[in-house]
Amino acid sequence: MSHLKKTYTTEAKFMLHGGDYNPDQWLDRPDILADDITFMQLANTNTFSLGIFAWSTLEPEEGVYQFDWLDKVINDIHQIDGRVILATPSGARPAWMSQKYPDVLRVNASRVKQLHGARHNHCFTSEVYREQTQKMNRLLAERYGSHPALLMWHISNEYGGECHCENCQNAFRSWLKEKYNHDIKQLNDAWWGPFWSHTFNDWSQVESPSPIGENAVHGLNLDWRRFVTDQTISFFENEIVPLKDLTPNIPITTNFMAETHDLIPFQSLDYSKFAQHLDVISWDAYPAWHNDWESTADLAMKVGFINDLYRSLKQQPFLLMESTPSAVNWHNVNKAKRPGMHLLSSMQMVAHGSDSILYFQWRKSRGSSEKFHGAVVDHDNSTHNRVFQEVAEVGTTLQQLSDVVGTNRPADVAILYDWENNWALNDAQGFGRATKCYPQTLQQHYRTFWERDIPVDVITKEQDFSSYKLLIIPMLYLVSEETISRLKSFVAGGGTLVMTYISGIVNEYDLTYMGGWHQDLQEIFGIKPLETDTLYPSDRNRVNYRGQIYELKDYATVIENQSARTEGFYQEDFYAQTPAVTSSQYKQGKAYYIGARLQDDFHRDFYQTLIDELSLAPAFVVQHGRGVSVQVRQAEEKNYIFLMNFTEEEQQVTLKAAVKDMATEEELKGNITLAKYEVKIVEKRKVH
Ligand code: GLA
Ligand code: ZN
């Protein structure tokens, strides 16, 4: 079942190290710009993202262009053998543009037209803005498209947000007409129109969701979110026209994000769709290391999860486009990375599939809102401080990892994440307001595999399921008939499927399935969920699973067993002694249903059984305690193994085979010690 895919599309055969560089803030300080070039070499960096917010410097007045400064910076970087990721500047536009073409300004959901300000605030439909960005991007491509330093295009910056102006309303209506075949009845049927008299008889009556207007039609909310993704992609596609035209061989990326809270995937855009338009996935990771609400290992597990999702979007290595070498400036508390954490956290990204360690930003700004955000070069302009030294150390380590570039991490286990599902589930009036926690639930299911070093792909519903032995789909509330039938084939063909409470409830229009659970699901699982009992946060119940007692909270499904085997049953309440966990053989495969929200102790034991049954194994076996993570990137001939200690204590680990330490070239075998926050990168030739 292993699949080694090597489809990474940059020609770089080295790990990228560097990051956002904003020389446009320092043009009157040639001494600083000269220091930058010297320091870049001292920091062992090689790649810089330029021009991300440089529009007002590139085009200070409409039609007046200033490229000479950028020519010089690119040439200077090239002189030191560096490479450039060149950005299109649409993430922030000059004031003259907003003043002259107010069309480019956003209107928020309350229908308030926004003033010029901040960044990331353009109307994604505006014809003027689309023309302006294309014009600028064409000039950039013409001027730098064949520069030997150009490695990649960085399109805009962290796309997000939405616009509710009249142009956007019209675009939304056209999108709906297309979707519902120009038949308003189809839209009314899909949105359950007669409820609260929400039937429309003309497209012009449809408005985007708003706190001062329509916000109760779930089908509308869901379609609006889909439209926002499609319209953002359409804006992006418009941006890249000249780049595809003039530089067809330069790969294109845009930097994705995560939500700060729990490091869950960014919510406002469906990245599974966006990914199809990119050559390379890149993302900006800012975990709150050393926080006061979770252990370092808990956070490391979440970092693993989201990396496994972003890597799996294209089943190829990705780029860490931004990270901080020390603190950020926008968390509630902006704590410095402790000594060692920068190398460890950077190597974790590489271990999960990143071919870069890039920072926001190279040099700290002197003014404005990010002047205290961590950067490689601080206001002291020194290369001797701790942060600079730790960055240089990451650089040295990355230089030893060139062979890792382009290698992937085959997995037999997949967990399914679905953006639309989370939108619909969060929108659903019902269950518990604060306890749905779909992405967090996935993290909890991921945990056992992370603790056991078993590689996982976090995939989305469009992807092929058939190469996996085990597919885990917790809380898949929204699921189309098409996906259900693909799940059925997966199990019929020999796959093992795990589903949980609150799954299979609505279709892709957010309309509930009728007649109980979908017939195909009943067939696969041999059960019929009858009721979902939502509990108060302090309520507890227990499940007896294979003779052991496990606590549950938040959700419990009352299940009618048709032909399944009861693996666990409830202990209390009106459904005491009825099935809570079931398994069922369906054709060549097996389907498990977990009816209640059980905790880590249950997941560890439950998944252990599947790990044994399906012979799921780490790519390299190391015996270790909790908080140590072993992740492997695989090439044809070798495994590159990352041994990482995410605890504050020294850890003893036992290697099951001899390996070579990539830093010291020493052979390591048997018992070794990992110091607090230590990472060792070792290699092992494969036995074929
Ligand atoms: C984002 C942006 C950067 C910068 C950083 C700060 O990721 O893309 O421009 O603001 O946050 O953490
Ligand atoms: Zn708009």
Short mmCIF file of all heavy atoms in Angstrom, two decimals, residues 339-362:
data_model
loop_
_atom_site.label_atom_id
_atom_site.label_comp_id
_atom_site.label_asym_id
_atom_site.label_seq_id
_atom_site.Cartn_x
_atom_site.Cartn_y
_atom_site.Cartn_z
N PRO A 339 15.91 28.34 24.49
CA PRO A 339 17.05 27.79 23.75
C PRO A 339 16.76 26.36 23.28
O PRO A 339 16.24 25.55 24.05
CB PRO A 339 18.18 27.81 24.78
CG PRO A 339 17.82 28.95 25.69
CD PRO A 339 16.31 28.96 25.76
N GLY A 340 17.05 26.09 22.06
CA GLY A 340 16.83 24.75 21.51
C GLY A 340 15.50 24.61 20.80
O GLY A 340 15.36 23.79 19.88
N MET A 341 14.50 25.38 21.21
CA MET A 341 13.18 25.21 20.63
C MET A 341 13.14 25.61 19.16
O MET A 341 12.40 25.05 18.37
CB MET A 341 12.13 26.00 21.44
CG MET A 341 10.71 25.86 20.93
SD MET A 341 10.20 24.15 20.60
CE MET A 341 9.64 23.64 22.23
N HIS A 342 13.97 26.57 18.79
CA HIS A 342 13.91 26.99 17.39
C HIS A 342 14.37 25.87 16.46
O HIS A 342 13.72 25.58 15.45
CB HIS A 342 14.74 28.26 17.17
CG HIS A 342 14.64 28.73 15.75
ND1 HIS A 342 13.42 28.88 15.12
CD2 HIS A 342 15.58 28.99 14.81
CE1 HIS A 342 13.62 29.25 13.86
NE2 HIS A 342 14.91 29.32 13.66
N LEU A 343 15.46 25.22 16.83
CA LEU A 343 15.94 24.11 15.99
C LEU A 343 14.92 22.96 16.01
O LEU A 343 14.55 22.41 14.98
CB LEU A 343 17.31 23.62 16.49
CG LEU A 343 17.91 22.48 15.68
CD1 LEU A 343 18.22 22.92 14.25
CD2 LEU A 343 19.18 21.94 16.34
N LEU A 344 14.45 22.62 17.21
CA LEU A 344 13.50 21.50 17.34
C LEU A 344 12.23 21.77 16.53
O LEU A 344 11.79 20.93 15.74
CB LEU A 344 13.16 21.30 18.83
CG LEU A 344 12.07 20.27 19.12
CD1 LEU A 344 12.53 18.86 18.73
CD2 LEU A 344 11.67 20.29 20.61
N SER A 345 11.63 22.94 16.74
CA SER A 345 10.35 23.21 16.07
C SER A 345 10.55 23.32 14.56
O SER A 345 9.68 22.94 13.78
CB SER A 345 9.71 24.48 16.64
OG SER A 345 10.55 25.59 16.47
N SER A 346 11.71 23.81 14.13
CA SER A 346 11.98 23.90 12.69
C SER A 346 12.13 22.50 12.10
O SER A 346 11.59 22.19 11.04
CB SER A 346 13.25 24.70 12.44
OG SER A 346 13.09 26.02 12.92
N MET A 347 12.87 21.66 12.80
CA MET A 347 13.09 20.31 12.27
C MET A 347 11.80 19.49 12.27
O MET A 347 11.61 18.61 11.46
CB MET A 347 14.19 19.59 13.05
CG MET A 347 15.56 20.16 12.78
SD MET A 347 15.92 20.34 11.01
CE MET A 347 16.09 22.11 10.87
N GLN A 348 10.89 19.82 13.19
CA GLN A 348 9.60 19.12 13.16
C GLN A 348 8.87 19.42 11.85
O GLN A 348 8.23 18.55 11.26
CB GLN A 348 8.72 19.52 14.35
CG GLN A 348 7.46 18.66 14.41
CD GLN A 348 6.39 19.14 15.38
OE1 GLN A 348 6.41 20.29 15.82
NE2 GLN A 348 5.45 18.27 15.70
N MET A 349 8.96 20.66 11.39
CA MET A 349 8.31 21.02 10.13
C MET A 349 8.91 20.20 8.99
O MET A 349 8.19 19.67 8.15
CB MET A 349 8.48 22.52 9.84
CG MET A 349 7.94 23.47 10.89
SD MET A 349 6.17 23.38 11.21
CE MET A 349 5.48 23.87 9.64
N VAL A 350 10.23 20.12 8.99
CA VAL A 350 10.91 19.35 7.93
C VAL A 350 10.51 17.88 8.03
O VAL A 350 10.20 17.23 7.03
CB VAL A 350 12.44 19.53 8.03
CG1 VAL A 350 13.15 18.63 7.03
CG2 VAL A 350 12.82 20.99 7.83
N ALA A 351 10.47 17.38 9.25
CA ALA A 351 10.14 15.97 9.45
C ALA A 351 8.77 15.63 8.87
O ALA A 351 8.55 14.54 8.36
CB ALA A 351 10.17 15.64 10.95
N HIS A 352 7.85 16.59 8.94
CA HIS A 352 6.49 16.33 8.43
C HIS A 352 6.34 16.69 6.96
O HIS A 352 5.24 16.60 6.42
CB HIS A 352 5.45 17.05 9.28
CG HIS A 352 5.18 16.34 10.58
ND1 HIS A 352 4.19 15.39 10.71
CD2 HIS A 352 5.80 16.41 11.77
CE1 HIS A 352 4.21 14.91 11.95
NE2 HIS A 352 5.18 15.52 12.62
N GLY A 353 7.41 17.15 6.32
CA GLY A 353 7.32 17.34 4.87
C GLY A 353 7.71 18.70 4.34
O GLY A 353 7.58 18.95 3.15
N SER A 354 8.18 19.61 5.20
CA SER A 354 8.56 20.92 4.69
C SER A 354 9.95 20.84 4.05
O SER A 354 10.85 20.20 4.58
CB SER A 354 8.57 21.96 5.80
OG SER A 354 8.98 23.21 5.26
N ASP A 355 10.09 21.53 2.92
CA ASP A 355 11.40 21.66 2.29
C ASP A 355 11.98 23.04 2.51
O ASP A 355 12.81 23.51 1.73
CB ASP A 355 11.29 21.36 0.79
CG ASP A 355 11.28 19.85 0.52
OD1 ASP A 355 11.47 19.08 1.47
OD2 ASP A 355 11.09 19.46 -0.64
N SER A 356 11.51 23.70 3.57
CA SER A 356 12.05 25.03 3.85
C SER A 356 11.85 25.38 5.31
O SER A 356 10.97 24.83 5.97
CB SER A 356 11.31 26.08 3.02
OG SER A 356 9.99 26.22 3.51
N ILE A 357 12.68 26.31 5.76
CA ILE A 357 12.40 27.02 7.01
C ILE A 357 12.56 28.49 6.66
O ILE A 357 13.67 28.98 6.41
CB ILE A 357 13.37 26.63 8.15
CG1 ILE A 357 13.24 25.14 8.49
CG2 ILE A 357 13.12 27.48 9.40
CD1 ILE A 357 11.88 24.69 8.99
N LEU A 358 11.44 29.18 6.57
CA LEU A 358 11.46 30.59 6.20
C LEU A 358 10.80 31.38 7.33
O LEU A 358 9.95 30.85 8.05
CB LEU A 358 10.72 30.79 4.87
CG LEU A 358 11.32 30.03 3.68
CD1 LEU A 358 10.39 30.05 2.48
CD2 LEU A 358 12.68 30.59 3.29
N TYR A 359 11.22 32.62 7.44
CA TYR A 359 10.75 33.42 8.57
C TYR A 359 9.98 34.64 8.14
O TYR A 359 10.23 35.22 7.09
CB TYR A 359 11.95 33.94 9.40
CG TYR A 359 12.91 32.85 9.78
CD1 TYR A 359 14.20 32.81 9.26
CD2 TYR A 359 12.51 31.83 10.65
CE1 TYR A 359 15.08 31.79 9.61
CE2 TYR A 359 13.39 30.82 10.98
CZ TYR A 359 14.67 30.80 10.46
OH TYR A 359 15.52 29.78 10.79
N PHE A 360 9.08 35.05 9.02
CA PHE A 360 8.64 36.42 9.01
C PHE A 360 9.30 37.04 10.23
O PHE A 360 8.98 36.65 11.34
CB PHE A 360 7.13 36.60 9.10
CG PHE A 360 6.80 38.06 9.11
CD1 PHE A 360 6.66 38.75 7.94
CD2 PHE A 360 6.74 38.76 10.32
CE1 PHE A 360 6.45 40.12 7.95
CE2 PHE A 360 6.54 40.13 10.33
CZ PHE A 360 6.40 40.81 9.14
N GLN A 361 10.17 37.95 10.05
CA GLN A 361 10.75 38.40 8.83
C GLN A 361 12.27 38.46 9.00
O GLN A 361 12.77 38.15 10.07
CB GLN A 361 10.20 39.78 8.46
CG GLN A 361 10.41 40.85 9.50
CD GLN A 361 9.88 42.22 9.02
OE1 GLN A 361 9.84 42.50 7.84
NE2 GLN A 361 9.51 43.07 9.96
N TRP A 362 12.95 38.83 7.93
CA TRP A 362 14.41 38.87 8.01
C TRP A 362 14.87 39.92 9.03
O TRP A 362 15.62 39.64 9.95
CB TRP A 362 15.00 39.17 6.62
CG TRP A 362 16.45 39.55 6.71
CD1 TRP A 362 16.96 40.80 6.56
CD2 TRP A 362 17.55 38.70 7.04
NE1 TRP A 362 18.33 40.78 6.77
CE2 TRP A 362 18.71 39.49 7.07
CE3 TRP A 362 17.66 37.33 7.33
CZ2 TRP A 362 19.97 38.97 7.36
CZ3 TRP A 362 18.92 36.81 7.62
CH2 TRP A 362 20.05 37.62 7.63
#
